[in-house]
Amino acid sequence: MARVFSPFVILAFVFFVSAVTSNGPLQDFCVADLKSPVLVNGYPCKNPSSVSANDFYFGGLHLMGNTSNPFGSKVTPVYVTQLPGLNTLGIALARVDFAPWGINPPHTHPRATEIMTVLEGSLEVGFITSNPENRHITRVLCKGDVFVFPVNLVHYQRNNGNTNAIAISALSSQNPGVNPIANVIFGAKPDIAPDILAKTFQTTEEDVRNLQEKF
Ligand SMILES: *[C@@H]1O[C@H](CO)[C@@H](O)[C@H](O)[C@H]1NC(C)=O
């Protein structure tokens, strides 16, 4: 037994465990093969020898998103499906455009913390801590200000002015995911039973059905 647990064996075992449990990439890159039929956590890698600069490139983030919608905002994502070189790297970007007084309604990102920089205009932003406090942490941001929304917490933004606003967000996942609260609750398909939501929100089933029609 003494031999088995020699310092060399222990050291080799520690290296082995740290290699197979590494959270980071195990190679320089793994450009997503978006068309592969193989289903894994992320995307399989393209053959590195067939990778080119375009796999690491996305153009067009200078273009304004179309905010002509009921919320008055538009997210332009640069996630792994838009930029395959992000695969396995745990990072992504988005541009968010806001019409005057437009909102990015309350939502969560199940897989990412978000750090947002205001490029133009002014935003009122906030997030809500988890139970039991449900503390609302909010403030107004101006051009050049940066704010962080911790992973999984409900958060929102509103353009706080009469001009367009622009923000760039970095996210700690190649595929952050989004749960817009209203869509998740009132837009689930098939519908969540109206009596369940009426009790949840302490309102009438009629109110619930009206909201379900909107989402
Ligand atoms: C913006 O979106 C609206 C609503 O979908 C559409 O009617 C309009 O044509 C779009 N504008 C542009 C410039 O694409």
Side-chain angles (χ1 to χ4, degrees):
M1 286 304 276
R3 248 191 201 163
V4 172
F5 292 107
S6 78
F8 289 113
V9 172
I10 291 169
L11 207 58
F13 181 72
V14 167
F15 278 123
F16 172 75
V17 168
S18 65
V20 298
T21 61
S22 170
N23 290 320
L26 302 174
Q27 51 214 340
D28 282 351
F29 51 76
C30 169
V31 170
D33 179 354
L34 298 174
K35 291 182 187 136
S36 168
V38 178
L39 300 177
V40 293
N41 185 23
Y43 290 97
C45 312
K46 273 174 114 167
N47 185 336
S49 63
S50 70
V51 157
S52 73
N54 275 347
D55 289 312
F56 301 92
Y57 166 85
F58 174 92
L61 218 53
H62 62 298
L63 299 173
M64 186 184 171
N66 184 347
T67 59
S68 299
N69 57 61
F71 297 128
S73 75
K74 179 70 179 180
V75 175
T76 304
V78 188
Y79 302 161
V80 68
T81 43
Q82 290 82 29
L83 203 172
L86 287 175
N87 196 36
T88 75
L89 296 181
I91 194 168
L93 271 187
R95 169 177 172 146
V96 193
D97 285 281
F98 299 85
W101 306 104
I103 64 161
N104 187 5
H107 62 279
T108 69
H109 300 294
R111 293 176 287 277
T113 288
E114 172 175 357
I115 180 166
M116 173 175 261
T117 306
V118 179
L119 298 187
E120 291 294 342
S122 168
L123 296 178
E124 181 174 342
V125 304
F127 67 82
I128 297 94
T129 69
S130 58
N131 275 356
E133 292 85 9
N134 291 139
R135 185 172 160 211
H136 182 194
I137 294 180
T138 179
R139 67 160 288 159
V140 173
L141 306 179
C142 299
K143 183 172 177 163
D145 289 350
V146 176
F147 200 80
V148 65
F149 304 99
V151 61
N152 243 316
L153 297 187
V154 175
H155 60 283
Y156 66 89
Q157 299 103 27
R158 180 184 66 188
N159 184 351
N160 215 22
N162 291 318
T163 59
N164 289 335
I166 306 170
I168 297 279
S169 279
L171 297 122
S172 61
S173 168
Q174 66 185 40
N175 180 26
V178 63
N179 284 314
I181 304 304
N183 302 63
V184 166
I185 300 293
F186 296 109
K189 290 284 166 281
D191 284 345
I192 300 174
D195 65 301
I196 294 176
L197 294 180
K199 260 188 195 154
T200 301
F201 290 94
Q202 298 288 292
T203 186
T204 64
E205 291 187 31
E206 194 194 346
D207 284 345
V208 168
R209 285 202 190 85
N210 284 338
L211 286 165
Q212 285 177 323
E213 270 170 31
K214 289 200 173 75
F215 289 95

